Amino acid sequence: IEESIKKDPDGELITRNFHTIKSSAAGIGANAVAQLAKELETLSKDGVFPKVTEKMKNFKNELKKVFRFIQNGNRGSGK
């Protein structure tokens, strides 16, 4: 995504990527990721790339949590 910011000056590709991530995350119940992707989608659509870059660390951290949850097979979640 960060590379897309550099290569996509009008933000079309990155906006589409965040839209896809938003929908996918919502579909699996990863609500924090979905919400951040929604914010990032709007920012990139509006061309506010400094804010996109600023929010990427939090977005990546939330994605890591989801990946760990998936990799661990839901162990230890109380279910």
Side-chain angles (χ1 to χ4, degrees):
I1 291 173
E2 291 169 320
E3 280 300 310
S4 294
I5 293 172
K6 295 174 189 173
K7 296 178 181 178
D8 185 23
D10 63 357
E12 185 178 328
L13 177 62
I14 192 167
T15 300
R16 212 172 330 128
N17 287 339
F18 283 127
H19 179 79
T20 300
I21 293 167
K22 175 186 72 177
S23 300
S24 299
I28 64 168
N31 297 327
V33 171
Q35 181 58 42
L36 283 167
K38 180 180 179 180
E39 292 173 23
L40 290 163
E41 177 186 12
T42 300
L43 290 169
S44 60
K45 187 176 186 178
D46 294 343
V48 189
F49 298 115
K51 281 282 190 193
V52 171
T53 302
E54 195 177 293
K55 289 184 173 275
M56 284 301 298
K57 182 178 181 182
N58 192 25
F59 181 71
K60 286 180 183 180
N61 286 337
E62 290 300 325
L63 278 176
K64 286 178 186 176
K65 290 178 190 177
V66 171
F67 293 149
R68 271 195 305 273
F69 181 81
I70 292 168
Q71 287 173 341
N72 291 331
N74 200 16
R75 285 178 279 165
S77 69
K79 294 183 180 181

